[in-house]
Amino acid sequence: GSGGNFETVVFGVLLIGILQTAREGLWPHLAKVFPVKSAEARPAEAAELPARPLPEKGTPLLEVEHARKTFGGLVAVNDVSFEVRAGEIVGLIGPNGAGKSTTFNLVTGVAHLTSGTVRFAGQVISGLPSRAICKLGMARTFQHVKLVPDMSVLENVALGAHPRGHMGVRHALIRLDRAEEARIMAEAARQIERVGLGALMHRPAGSLALGQLRIVEIARALCLDPSLLLLDEPAAGLRHKEKQALADLLVKLRAEGMSVLIVEHDMDFLMGITDRLVVLDFGTRIATGTPAEIRVNPAVLEAYLGGAAA
Ligand code: ADP
Ligand code: MG
């Protein structure tokens, strides 16, 4: 009658052993012994994906006119108008809850306007679904990092190029998508090099620091070959040096012809890199101008310091 007891003890020990050493199962251990090659980038072999012509510098790219969004009785975005011209970095700032993320959602089709219009490269885009808007060349990141931690940096970034591919499930089943996949992987590798993370390309995304993850998200957005990049608080939670790296990257992208709309409530971060700022408070645009003008604008000081400056 002692067999049952031994069973319990042996299983108990095994269970503790597995919990201690192989929480994610045996596969990660096997993968270490027999490294599985994930889809690799072979930039030399793959042809480049067709690129979008960049709009001429200074032409109006994004025009938001009287955008309004209400949630029940709450007016989250109250008749806000502003524009972004090609080749500019425009900052959208304001205290928490001012309506910055909601404005992003309205522009990118994630949320629908209650009233108003949004034009992108001369075309009215309000009312279009986000998947159609992104194909016109508008890419964004969200306020919270959303990457697949178990996938490599390269694979995560490649997801951003998905709308540029034409192959579907049927093609994939019989592996007719290989050439396109190689081109997408090569594009992802190029964008990772462009943002300066080439050394981390094959690491799982989950092993990176927050500052690096935010830059990976920018690389993923760049994979769409956008003419406008919208970044929602990319500097939140970053250390000083990481913020500096991010600022350098944005300035470099602008020099390459990219236009950027960036939400941030760290004013100092934006002062050095933006061409213009748009300030929201309680859903309303309270000011717009160059960083130097905004810095001394009484309405902005009031909103940020709650009257302490007055
Ligand atoms: P910010 O990004 O400037 O901090 P948000 O745009 O996230 O501000 O939010 C603006 C206001 O709208 C806040 O008061 C918020 O609570 C409200 N809000 C945002 N999204 C929703 C929603 N889906 N439903 C109801 N209220 C919302
Ligand atoms: Mg927000």
mmCIF file with all atom_site columns, all heavy atoms in Angstrom, residues 71 74 76 95-103 143 232-233, ligand 1:
data_model
loop_
_atom_site.group_PDB
_atom_site.id
_atom_site.type_symbol
_atom_site.label_atom_id
_atom_site.label_alt_id
_atom_site.label_comp_id
_atom_site.label_asym_id
_atom_site.label_entity_id
_atom_site.label_seq_id
_atom_site.pdbx_PDB_ins_code
_atom_site.Cartn_x
_atom_site.Cartn_y
_atom_site.Cartn_z
_atom_site.occupancy
_atom_site.B_iso_or_equiv
_atom_site.pdbx_formal_charge
_atom_site.auth_seq_id
_atom_site.auth_comp_id
_atom_site.auth_asym_id
_atom_site.auth_atom_id
_atom_site.pdbx_PDB_model_num
ATOM   1   N N   . PHE A 1 71  ? -18.320 61.913 -25.754 1.00 0.00 ? 71  PHE A N   1
ATOM   2   C CA  . PHE A 1 71  ? -18.667 60.622 -25.141 1.00 0.00 ? 71  PHE A CA  1
ATOM   3   C C   . PHE A 1 71  ? -19.813 60.921 -24.190 1.00 0.00 ? 71  PHE A C   1
ATOM   4   O O   . PHE A 1 71  ? -19.583 61.440 -23.101 1.00 0.00 ? 71  PHE A O   1
ATOM   5   C CB  . PHE A 1 71  ? -17.485 60.053 -24.352 1.00 0.00 ? 71  PHE A CB  1
ATOM   6   C CG  . PHE A 1 71  ? -16.291 59.709 -25.210 1.00 0.00 ? 71  PHE A CG  1
ATOM   7   C CD1 . PHE A 1 71  ? -15.128 60.470 -25.144 1.00 0.00 ? 71  PHE A CD1 1
ATOM   8   C CD2 . PHE A 1 71  ? -16.318 58.616 -26.063 1.00 0.00 ? 71  PHE A CD2 1
ATOM   9   C CE1 . PHE A 1 71  ? -14.025 60.152 -25.907 1.00 0.00 ? 71  PHE A CE1 1
ATOM   10  C CE2 . PHE A 1 71  ? -15.215 58.294 -26.837 1.00 0.00 ? 71  PHE A CE2 1
ATOM   11  C CZ  . PHE A 1 71  ? -14.069 59.058 -26.762 1.00 0.00 ? 71  PHE A CZ  1
ATOM   12  N N   . LEU A 1 74  ? -19.707 64.183 -22.143 1.00 0.00 ? 74  LEU A N   1
ATOM   13  C CA  . LEU A 1 74  ? -18.336 64.704 -22.076 1.00 0.00 ? 74  LEU A CA  1
ATOM   14  C C   . LEU A 1 74  ? -17.825 65.095 -23.462 1.00 0.00 ? 74  LEU A C   1
ATOM   15  O O   . LEU A 1 74  ? -17.873 64.294 -24.389 1.00 0.00 ? 74  LEU A O   1
ATOM   16  C CB  . LEU A 1 74  ? -17.419 63.632 -21.477 1.00 0.00 ? 74  LEU A CB  1
ATOM   17  C CG  . LEU A 1 74  ? -15.941 64.009 -21.404 1.00 0.00 ? 74  LEU A CG  1
ATOM   18  C CD1 . LEU A 1 74  ? -15.642 64.734 -20.110 1.00 0.00 ? 74  LEU A CD1 1
ATOM   19  C CD2 . LEU A 1 74  ? -15.070 62.782 -21.537 1.00 0.00 ? 74  LEU A CD2 1
ATOM   20  N N   . ALA A 1 76  ? -14.808 65.409 -25.342 1.00 0.00 ? 76  ALA A N   1
ATOM   21  C CA  . ALA A 1 76  ? -13.384 65.056 -25.220 1.00 0.00 ? 76  ALA A CA  1
ATOM   22  C C   . ALA A 1 76  ? -12.536 65.904 -26.162 1.00 0.00 ? 76  ALA A C   1
ATOM   23  O O   . ALA A 1 76  ? -11.415 66.282 -25.836 1.00 0.00 ? 76  ALA A O   1
ATOM   24  C CB  . ALA A 1 76  ? -13.185 63.577 -25.504 1.00 0.00 ? 76  ALA A CB  1
ATOM   25  N N   . PRO A 1 95  ? -2.390  68.977 -20.587 1.00 0.00 ? 95  PRO A N   1
ATOM   26  C CA  . PRO A 1 95  ? -2.412  68.164 -19.370 1.00 0.00 ? 95  PRO A CA  1
ATOM   27  C C   . PRO A 1 95  ? -3.125  66.830 -19.611 1.00 0.00 ? 95  PRO A C   1
ATOM   28  O O   . PRO A 1 95  ? -3.784  66.648 -20.632 1.00 0.00 ? 95  PRO A O   1
ATOM   29  C CB  . PRO A 1 95  ? -3.210  69.026 -18.379 1.00 0.00 ? 95  PRO A CB  1
ATOM   30  C CG  . PRO A 1 95  ? -3.309  70.385 -18.986 1.00 0.00 ? 95  PRO A CG  1
ATOM   31  C CD  . PRO A 1 95  ? -3.126  70.230 -20.447 1.00 0.00 ? 95  PRO A CD  1
ATOM   32  N N   . ASN A 1 96  ? -3.016  65.918 -18.657 1.00 0.00 ? 96  ASN A N   1
ATOM   33  C CA  . ASN A 1 96  ? -3.707  64.633 -18.744 1.00 0.00 ? 96  ASN A CA  1
ATOM   34  C C   . ASN A 1 96  ? -5.192  64.827 -18.963 1.00 0.00 ? 96  ASN A C   1
ATOM   35  O O   . ASN A 1 96  ? -5.797  65.683 -18.328 1.00 0.00 ? 96  ASN A O   1
ATOM   36  C CB  . ASN A 1 96  ? -3.514  63.859 -17.427 1.00 0.00 ? 96  ASN A CB  1
ATOM   37  C CG  . ASN A 1 96  ? -2.426  62.827 -17.576 1.00 0.00 ? 96  ASN A CG  1
ATOM   38  O OD1 . ASN A 1 96  ? -2.251  62.277 -18.660 1.00 0.00 ? 96  ASN A OD1 1
ATOM   39  N ND2 . ASN A 1 96  ? -1.695  62.597 -16.513 1.00 0.00 ? 96  ASN A ND2 1
ATOM   40  N N   . GLY A 1 97  ? -5.761  64.041 -19.877 1.00 0.00 ? 97  GLY A N   1
ATOM   41  C CA  . GLY A 1 97  ? -7.202  64.119 -20.110 1.00 0.00 ? 97  GLY A CA  1
ATOM   42  C C   . GLY A 1 97  ? -7.604  65.271 -21.012 1.00 0.00 ? 97  GLY A C   1
ATOM   43  O O   . GLY A 1 97  ? -8.785  65.564 -21.177 1.00 0.00 ? 97  GLY A O   1
ATOM   44  N N   . ALA A 1 98  ? -6.620  65.937 -21.627 1.00 0.00 ? 98  ALA A N   1
ATOM   45  C CA  . ALA A 1 98  ? -6.927  67.103 -22.458 1.00 0.00 ? 98  ALA A CA  1
ATOM   46  C C   . ALA A 1 98  ? -7.556  66.710 -23.791 1.00 0.00 ? 98  ALA A C   1
ATOM   47  O O   . ALA A 1 98  ? -8.114  67.556 -24.486 1.00 0.00 ? 98  ALA A O   1
ATOM   48  C CB  . ALA A 1 98  ? -5.657  67.916 -22.702 1.00 0.00 ? 98  ALA A CB  1
ATOM   49  N N   . GLY A 1 99  ? -7.440  65.434 -24.180 1.00 0.00 ? 99  GLY A N   1
ATOM   50  C CA  . GLY A 1 99  ? -8.036  64.987 -25.447 1.00 0.00 ? 99  GLY A CA  1
ATOM   51  C C   . GLY A 1 99  ? -7.011  64.694 -26.520 1.00 0.00 ? 99  GLY A C   1
ATOM   52  O O   . GLY A 1 99  ? -7.356  64.569 -27.697 1.00 0.00 ? 99  GLY A O   1
ATOM   53  N N   . LYS A 1 100 ? -5.758  64.542 -26.137 1.00 0.00 ? 100 LYS A N   1
ATOM   54  C CA  . LYS A 1 100 ? -4.695  64.321 -27.126 1.00 0.00 ? 100 LYS A CA  1
ATOM   55  C C   . LYS A 1 100 ? -4.829  62.943 -27.784 1.00 0.00 ? 100 LYS A C   1
ATOM   56  O O   . LYS A 1 100 ? -4.839  62.835 -29.018 1.00 0.00 ? 100 LYS A O   1
ATOM   57  C CB  . LYS A 1 100 ? -3.307  64.443 -26.453 1.00 0.00 ? 100 LYS A CB  1
ATOM   58  C CG  . LYS A 1 100 ? -3.123  65.754 -25.704 1.00 0.00 ? 100 LYS A CG  1
ATOM   59  C CD  . LYS A 1 100 ? -1.772  65.855 -25.034 1.00 0.00 ? 100 LYS A CD  1
ATOM   60  C CE  . LYS A 1 100 ? -1.503  64.816 -23.960 1.00 0.00 ? 100 LYS A CE  1
ATOM   61  N NZ  . LYS A 1 100 ? -2.259  64.953 -22.722 1.00 0.00 ? 100 LYS A NZ  1
ATOM   62  N N   . SER A 1 101 ? -4.962  61.898 -26.976 1.00 0.00 ? 101 SER A N   1
ATOM   63  C CA  . SER A 1 101 ? -5.083  60.553 -27.561 1.00 0.00 ? 101 SER A CA  1
ATOM   64  C C   . SER A 1 101 ? -6.369  60.434 -28.367 1.00 0.00 ? 101 SER A C   1
ATOM   65  O O   . SER A 1 101 ? -6.393  59.784 -29.415 1.00 0.00 ? 101 SER A O   1
ATOM   66  C CB  . SER A 1 101 ? -5.069  59.487 -26.463 1.00 0.00 ? 101 SER A CB  1
ATOM   67  O OG  . SER A 1 101 ? -3.832  59.494 -25.803 1.00 0.00 ? 101 SER A OG  1
ATOM   68  N N   . THR A 1 102 ? -7.429  61.058 -27.880 1.00 0.00 ? 102 THR A N   1
ATOM   69  C CA  . THR A 1 102 ? -8.693  61.012 -28.626 1.00 0.00 ? 102 THR A CA  1
ATOM   70  C C   . THR A 1 102 ? -8.519  61.698 -29.979 1.00 0.00 ? 102 THR A C   1
ATOM   71  O O   . THR A 1 102 ? -9.019  61.210 -30.996 1.00 0.00 ? 102 THR A O   1
ATOM   72  C CB  . THR A 1 102 ? -9.821  61.673 -27.800 1.00 0.00 ? 102 THR A CB  1
ATOM   73  O OG1 . THR A 1 102 ? -9.855  61.055 -26.512 1.00 0.00 ? 102 THR A OG1 1
ATOM   74  C CG2 . THR A 1 102 ? -11.161 61.514 -28.471 1.00 0.00 ? 102 THR A CG2 1
ATOM   75  N N   . THR A 1 103 ? -7.797  62.819 -30.015 1.00 0.00 ? 103 THR A N   1
ATOM   76  C CA  . THR A 1 103 ? -7.533  63.490 -31.293 1.00 0.00 ? 103 THR A CA  1
ATOM   77  C C   . THR A 1 103 ? -6.794  62.550 -32.245 1.00 0.00 ? 103 THR A C   1
ATOM   78  O O   . THR A 1 103 ? -7.132  62.443 -33.426 1.00 0.00 ? 103 THR A O   1
ATOM   79  C CB  . THR A 1 103 ? -6.692  64.771 -31.054 1.00 0.00 ? 103 THR A CB  1
ATOM   80  O OG1 . THR A 1 103 ? -7.404  65.599 -30.135 1.00 0.00 ? 103 THR A OG1 1
ATOM   81  C CG2 . THR A 1 103 ? -6.457  65.524 -32.345 1.00 0.00 ? 103 THR A CG2 1
ATOM   82  N N   . GLN A 1 143 ? -0.322  54.901 -27.002 1.00 0.00 ? 143 GLN A N   1
ATOM   83  C CA  . GLN A 1 143 ? 0.282   55.384 -25.757 1.00 0.00 ? 143 GLN A CA  1
ATOM   84  C C   . GLN A 1 143 ? 0.950   54.245 -24.988 1.00 0.00 ? 143 GLN A C   1
ATOM   85  O O   . GLN A 1 143 ? 1.967   54.457 -24.342 1.00 0.00 ? 143 GLN A O   1
ATOM   86  C CB  . GLN A 1 143 ? -0.808  56.057 -24.922 1.00 0.00 ? 143 GLN A CB  1
ATOM   87  C CG  . GLN A 1 143 ? -0.272  56.834 -23.754 1.00 0.00 ? 143 GLN A CG  1
ATOM   88  C CD  . GLN A 1 143 ? -1.334  57.773 -23.178 1.00 0.00 ? 143 GLN A CD  1
ATOM   89  O OE1 . GLN A 1 143 ? -2.406  57.972 -23.745 1.00 0.00 ? 143 GLN A OE1 1
ATOM   90  N NE2 . GLN A 1 143 ? -1.031  58.360 -22.042 1.00 0.00 ? 143 GLN A NE2 1
ATOM   91  N N   . ASP A 1 232 ? 2.175   58.704 -29.934 1.00 0.00 ? 232 ASP A N   1
ATOM   92  C CA  . ASP A 1 232 ? 1.448   59.068 -28.713 1.00 0.00 ? 232 ASP A CA  1
ATOM   93  C C   . ASP A 1 232 ? 2.333   58.837 -27.487 1.00 0.00 ? 232 ASP A C   1
ATOM   94  O O   . ASP A 1 232 ? 2.548   57.695 -27.082 1.00 0.00 ? 232 ASP A O   1
ATOM   95  C CB  . ASP A 1 232 ? 0.144   58.265 -28.617 1.00 0.00 ? 232 ASP A CB  1
ATOM   96  C CG  . ASP A 1 232 ? -0.845  58.879 -27.627 1.00 0.00 ? 232 ASP A CG  1
ATOM   97  O OD1 . ASP A 1 232 ? -0.438  59.785 -26.862 1.00 0.00 ? 232 ASP A OD1 1
ATOM   98  O OD2 . ASP A 1 232 ? -2.004  58.451 -27.611 1.00 0.00 ? 232 ASP A OD2 1
ATOM   99  N N   . GLU A 1 233 ? 2.838   59.900 -26.928 1.00 0.00 ? 233 GLU A N   1
ATOM   100 C CA  . GLU A 1 233 ? 3.701   59.877 -25.745 1.00 0.00 ? 233 GLU A CA  1
ATOM   101 C C   . GLU A 1 233 ? 4.855   58.884 -25.848 1.00 0.00 ? 233 GLU A C   1
ATOM   102 O O   . GLU A 1 233 ? 5.010   58.013 -25.004 1.00 0.00 ? 233 GLU A O   1
ATOM   103 C CB  . GLU A 1 233 ? 2.873   59.589 -24.483 1.00 0.00 ? 233 GLU A CB  1
ATOM   104 C CG  . GLU A 1 233 ? 1.796   60.643 -24.285 1.00 0.00 ? 233 GLU A CG  1
ATOM   105 C CD  . GLU A 1 233 ? 1.396   60.845 -22.830 1.00 0.00 ? 233 GLU A CD  1
ATOM   106 O OE1 . GLU A 1 233 ? 2.157   60.436 -21.938 1.00 0.00 ? 233 GLU A OE1 1
ATOM   107 O OE2 . GLU A 1 233 ? 0.324   61.422 -22.617 1.00 0.00 ? 233 GLU A OE2 1
HETATM 108 P P1  . ADP B 2 .   ? -5.092  62.623 -23.109 1.00 0.00 ? 1   ADP B P1  1
HETATM 109 O O1  . ADP B 2 .   ? -4.557  61.658 -24.101 1.00 0.00 ? 1   ADP B O1  1
HETATM 110 O O2  . ADP B 2 .   ? -4.920  64.058 -23.516 1.00 0.00 ? 1   ADP B O2  1
HETATM 111 O O3  . ADP B 2 .   ? -4.563  62.397 -21.730 1.00 0.00 ? 1   ADP B O3  1
HETATM 112 P P2  . ADP B 2 .   ? -7.643  61.416 -23.742 1.00 0.00 ? 1   ADP B P2  1
HETATM 113 O O4  . ADP B 2 .   ? -7.817  61.799 -25.151 1.00 0.00 ? 1   ADP B O4  1
HETATM 114 O O5  . ADP B 2 .   ? -7.207  60.015 -23.465 1.00 0.00 ? 1   ADP B O5  1
HETATM 115 O O6  . ADP B 2 .   ? -6.683  62.441 -22.997 1.00 0.00 ? 1   ADP B O6  1
HETATM 116 O O7  . ADP B 2 .   ? -9.002  61.657 -22.968 1.00 0.00 ? 1   ADP B O7  1
HETATM 117 C C1  . ADP B 2 .   ? -9.742  62.867 -23.037 1.00 0.00 ? 1   ADP B C1  1
HETATM 118 C C2  . ADP B 2 .   ? -11.015 62.732 -22.239 1.00 0.00 ? 1   ADP B C2  1
HETATM 119 O O8  . ADP B 2 .   ? -11.908 61.838 -22.871 1.00 0.00 ? 1   ADP B O8  1
HETATM 120 C C3  . ADP B 2 .   ? -10.791 62.199 -20.834 1.00 0.00 ? 1   ADP B C3  1
HETATM 121 O O9  . ADP B 2 .   ? -11.657 62.870 -19.960 1.00 0.00 ? 1   ADP B O9  1
HETATM 122 C C4  . ADP B 2 .   ? -11.170 60.746 -20.959 1.00 0.00 ? 1   ADP B C4  1
HETATM 123 O O10 . ADP B 2 .   ? -11.628 60.247 -19.740 1.00 0.00 ? 1   ADP B O10 1
HETATM 124 C C5  . ADP B 2 .   ? -12.259 60.781 -22.014 1.00 0.00 ? 1   ADP B C5  1
HETATM 125 N N1  . ADP B 2 .   ? -12.315 59.547 -22.832 1.00 0.00 ? 1   ADP B N1  1
HETATM 126 C C6  . ADP B 2 .   ? -11.351 59.098 -23.653 1.00 0.00 ? 1   ADP B C6  1
HETATM 127 N N2  . ADP B 2 .   ? -11.733 57.979 -24.281 1.00 0.00 ? 1   ADP B N2  1
HETATM 128 C C7  . ADP B 2 .   ? -12.984 57.712 -23.836 1.00 0.00 ? 1   ADP B C7  1
HETATM 129 C C8  . ADP B 2 .   ? -13.943 56.686 -24.110 1.00 0.00 ? 1   ADP B C8  1
HETATM 130 N N3  . ADP B 2 .   ? -13.676 55.699 -24.986 1.00 0.00 ? 1   ADP B N3  1
HETATM 131 N N4  . ADP B 2 .   ? -15.131 56.726 -23.467 1.00 0.00 ? 1   ADP B N4  1
HETATM 132 C C9  . ADP B 2 .   ? -15.416 57.740 -22.609 1.00 0.00 ? 1   ADP B C9  1
HETATM 133 N N5  . ADP B 2 .   ? -14.566 58.737 -22.303 1.00 0.00 ? 1   ADP B N5  1
HETATM 134 C C10 . ADP B 2 .   ? -13.373 58.734 -22.899 1.00 0.00 ? 1   ADP B C10 1
#
